[in-house]
Amino acid sequence: MEKPPDEERGVELVIVGGGIAGLTCAVAAERALPEARITLLEQTVAITPVGAGIVLWPNALAVLDRWGIPREELAAAGTRMTRAGVCTSRGRWLRRVDAGRREQRIGQSVALHRARLVDVLLRRLTRTETHLGAKVDRVDLDGSVHWSSPEGEGALRADVVAAADGLRSTVRRQHWGVAPRPAGVICLRAVVDVPTEEFVEAWGRGEIVGQVPIGGGRTYVYAARRAPWDGAGIEWARSWPALTLGVVEAVGAAATERIVAELASLPAVKPWTRGRVALLGDAAHAMLPFLGQGACQGIEDADALVDTIAAGAGLHGYEARRRGRAMMVHRASRHASQLAMAHGVRARARDALVPLIPDRAFLAQLARVAAPRA
């Protein structure tokens, strides 16, 4: 049976991982748990964002706003997502919903560089003790955490350990033994100094390319293609007419950042909590990125976990609040990947059927995933 923390001394919270979910957890904890001692352990020597660009959907913006980060500040750090659509590689639009209708139904979305978001989160931290270069050697279910870093070795006994250490979580491997499942798809993410005005995702035959304006005259470009592909460039999309002129060439020659990796997701992890340890973000439910909800769901996790701690409830309350929704989004992301990456007769059927979906039905499904939660 979990023993609640001693309220007089405050909660001892250790966060493993300095990504979006971990940083959001620290920001929320500083506001909701004024007496808490918060320690963040990040294995890299600098908190460096991975992924180049990010879209914050209304569900994530609502959480960040609640914890003192207004959407206006985030929009100023990037750009408000207005014009958006999905088309075929030949330039035929499959879905293009008016921005006003989309915002009326689900709210505003913001696209920005992950580094800008990380900077915004870090600037909110005033009393979180952060250890960089901290390799977590062992986490025990009683809350004992042992790590080593250039500063030496460290150990703490936490009331709650928030394991936000990503897809290849060492904490999950230690206590759950669940490994990522490769998707057989290579993904390229890049930032190019080419201004664009519209969020476009173009679907080919077993391959996609997306362009996302992120402000400052820069564009986040992502591409996915079935293996084998080395991710060196996207010359194969040079003739795709919906992409802004110069974007494809810039990815191959002048990208300021480039990340190539095989996509992977997690099979179901059960439970998300054991003893005093809770998984959140990709460590709990890493999903394929085809709905752009991975980081957004990690932000929702952080919100729910901090609320659970503040209420003095057991960690099972966190999982009860989050599992159903996160796994629904996980499934939806997998289905979205099958749609986007279709080829052959399935791609032809997709291109014929997607435009027939009424806007109201499309927006209802989008709202189910991306609208702010009550």
Side-chain angles (χ1 to χ4, degrees):
M1 192 76 176
E2 293 177 47
K3 183 180 177 182
D6 183 343
E7 292 183 5
E8 290 186 3
R9 69 171 172 81
V11 175
E12 185 90 46
L13 171 64
V14 173
I15 302 167
V16 181
I20 302 298
L23 290 173
T24 303
C25 188
V27 169
E30 285 200 7
R31 291 177 67 94
L33 307 169
E35 303 301 320
R37 179 182 173 187
I38 307 162
T39 304
L40 188 147
L41 305 174
E42 167 55 38
Q43 66 175 346
T44 61
V45 296
I47 296 180
T48 304
V50 175
I54 185 172
V55 175
L56 293 175
W57 291 92
N59 56 317
L61 289 174
V63 170
L64 295 172
D65 185 74
R66 180 186 179 209
W67 297 118
I69 303 175
R71 67 195 63 207
E72 294 78 13
E73 179 181 352
L74 294 165
T79 187
R80 199 175 129 207
M81 199 170 76
T82 53
R83 297 169 59 193
V86 176
C87 66
T88 69
S89 57
R90 295 183 177 181
R92 182 167 69 90
W93 291 101
L94 301 177
R95 174 65 54 195
R96 214 174 188 183
V97 178
D98 175 72
R101 290 185 64 191
R102 190 186 72 242
E103 290 190 359
Q104 184 178 24
R105 182 67 177 86
I106 70 168
Q108 218 177 89
S109 302
V110 169
L112 70 167
H113 197 295
R114 280 181 183 251
R116 301 296 296 274
L117 175 58
V118 166
D119 183 58
V120 168
L121 293 168
L122 283 172
R123 282 190 278 111
R124 289 305 195 283
L125 299 183
T126 59
R127 57 187 182 86
T128 296
E129 184 179 324
T130 301
H131 296 268
L132 299 178
K135 179 182 178 295
V136 174
D137 301 310
R138 193 176 83 248
V139 173
D140 297 330
L141 297 182
D142 66 359
S144 299
V145 182
H146 302 265
W147 73 91
S148 53
S149 74
E151 305 166 3
E153 295 185 348
L156 276 176
R157 175 77 176 274
D159 297 301
V160 177
V161 179
D165 51 342
L167 173 68
R168 308 195 184 280
S169 167
T170 57
V171 179
R172 186 190 65 239
R173 185 171 65 246
Q174 181 185 345
H175 292 295
W176 282 264
V178 178
R181 183 165 46 203
V185 173
I186 306 301
C187 184
L188 163 69
R189 299 175 174 94
V191 173
V192 298
D193 293 322
V194 177
T196 53
E197 296 181 356
E198 185 166 17
F199 173 15
V200 175
E201 185 166 286
W203 293 350
R205 296 295 186 259
E207 55 200 14
I208 68 168
V209 177
Q211 65 174 45
V212 186
I214 57 174
R218 297 186 300 171
T219 297
Y220 166 45
V221 183
Y222 59 89
R225 199 178 200 191
R226 296 181 182 279
W229 173 49
D230 63 6
I234 54 173
E235 295 80 9
W236 40 269
R238 192 183 299 274
S239 63
W240 293 16
L243 301 175
T244 298
L245 186 67
V247 161
V248 170
E249 292 78 6
V251 169
T256 57
E257 298 169 51
R258 184 198 307 274
I259 301 159
V260 177
E262 182 177 9
L263 295 180
S265 63
L266 281 180
V269 179
K270 294 182 180 179
W272 287 357
T273 64
R274 287 185 173 171
R276 296 178 183 266
V277 180
L279 301 175
L280 65 157
D282 283 352
H285 48 65
M287 58 190 69
L288 295 173
F290 292 85
L291 286 178
Q293 276 288 319
C296 296
Q297 291 302 301
I299 289 169
E300 284 193 26
D301 288 349
D303 179 55
L305 179 62
V306 170
D307 271 354
T308 300
I309 297 170
L315 291 181
H316 61 276
Y318 153 68
E319 181 166 6
R321 174 172 162 180
R322 284 291 300 145
R323 173 175 280 280
R325 171 164 164 75
M327 297 315 295
M328 177 273 291
V329 178
H330 191 286
R331 290 190 296 273
S333 297
R334 185 175 68 250
H335 295 154
S337 76
Q338 293 166 350
L339 194 67
M341 298 296 292
H343 57 98
V345 66
R346 292 185 178 182
R348 292 193 293 274
R350 172 199 70 192
D351 294 350
L353 295 175
V354 168
L356 302 180
I357 301 171
D359 282 353
R360 65 180 181 277
F362 171 77
L363 287 171
Q365 287 301 313
L366 186 59
R368 185 167 174 252
V369 170
R373 314 314 300 165

